[in-house]
Amino acid sequence: MNNKRLSLASLCVKEFKDHRSTKPHQLPIYATSSFEFESMEEGIDIFTGAKSGHSYSRYGNPTVDTVSGKLADLEAFGTGLSAYGYLTSSGMSAISTIILSLLKTGDTILTQGDLYGGTTEMLLKVIANSGIKTIFTDLTAFDGVEQILQNDRTIKLLYFETPANPTMKCIDILQMSRLARKYGIITCVDNTFCTPVIQQPLALGVDFVIHSTTKYLNGHGNSIAGVIIGHDEKYKKQIWTTLKLLGTTCNAWDAWLINNGLKTLPIRMEKHASNAMAVALFLQKHPKVKKVNYNGLPSHPYHNIASKQMKSYGGMLSFEIDGNLSSVLNILNKLKFCSIAPTLGDVDTLVLHPATSSHINVDKSQRDANGITDGLVRLSVGIEDVNDIIFDLEQALT
Ligand SMILES: *Cc1c(COP(=O)(O)O)cnc(C)c1O
């Protein structure tokens, strides 16, 4: 194109040749909805799959694909598997996309009763409407799980989370993946609480891992996104097709923020875990605290399973304050350093009161039966100086 011949208005409109000469040291954000073809033939080849290349950012984008590839490599690290990953617009859309990719009307999902609240709600209020049923059971009761699998051949997916929110109950991943394999059932683990630094379900025979990258993987609380990671090539095309047609794709900006967060993931996770251990030990000795749920404490009922499948005990814990609802809320109102916020995995310490937030719509009797009492407080322990976290909790509890 000869720019000398064009009018000022056209020069304003047209993209100029970009001036990239050397390789950028950091991943660029490709803020473009589409990609130009050199010729009609190239376009045809890319759309038919004869040639690989980007065409439209809902189908794939260099920034997004770079980050999803990195996450897949992290989940498959050391397993010898070659995994693929797809970033999604949220953790929830990672879950809905994988379910709608793998299951159809008449199929059943087997899962636990204490899933992330949004996941339970989606299974009951959205997924159920397309004729995909869910059975909720205690996945730590092996014989009961096997009996359900034996009796119901419509079960296609075993879906679980470990540790579970907010009581840190652990499910034996290897035991569940072996059982699922015996019955020809696909497994998917929500690994949000651990990240691949702490727990690698693929190494324990699981087919798919999903994450809300919103939490630890991003780590800085400034993006909402998710990821689906698998290794069986048989499902790859169907997942990509579902993703691009539902439009649950991640955007380049959020992908870039995850990429930034990933650089410090191992050192963040190490500090989250050591701080959480120190906070758990402090809380355990406090006279106003009835109970501490932290997998690192040998007294925790799931300490042994956690030790078997987690490289550290992570940054999440919950504890029960001795007192009624109003006295518990008073204590939480006194916190000055820790933030009251309904997320987890950020660099700063976050407090959540499940009974009045994440579990407010669950019956009190059912809440109590699951250990989610009025006194229960969830902490996402940050990477600050642990003395400041403990000082804040101490002054609030006094
Ligand atoms: C937050 C969360 C989700 C949902 O992720 P979003 O990014 O909020 O959509 C799913 N599972 C777990 C364990 C979570 O903590």
Side-chain angles (χ1 to χ4, degrees), residues 330-345:
N330 278 338
I331 288 170
L332 297 181
N333 275 328
K334 283 200 278 178
L335 290 169
K336 294 188 179 82
F337 181 74
C338 306
S339 311
I340 303 168
T343 187
L344 63 99

Side-chain angles (χ1 to χ4, degrees), residues 89-93 95 116 119 159 161 165 190-193 210-215 223-226 343-344 378:
S89 56
S90 65
M92 294 309 293
S93 66
I95 302 165
Y116 174 74
T119 310
Y159 179 94
E161 272 170 39
N165 186 28
D190 179 338
N191 203 26
T192 300
F193 272 33
I210 69 96
H211 280 274
S212 166
T213 64
T214 311
K215 316 295 167 51
S223 83
I224 297 257
T343 187
L344 63 99
R378 187 187 80 180

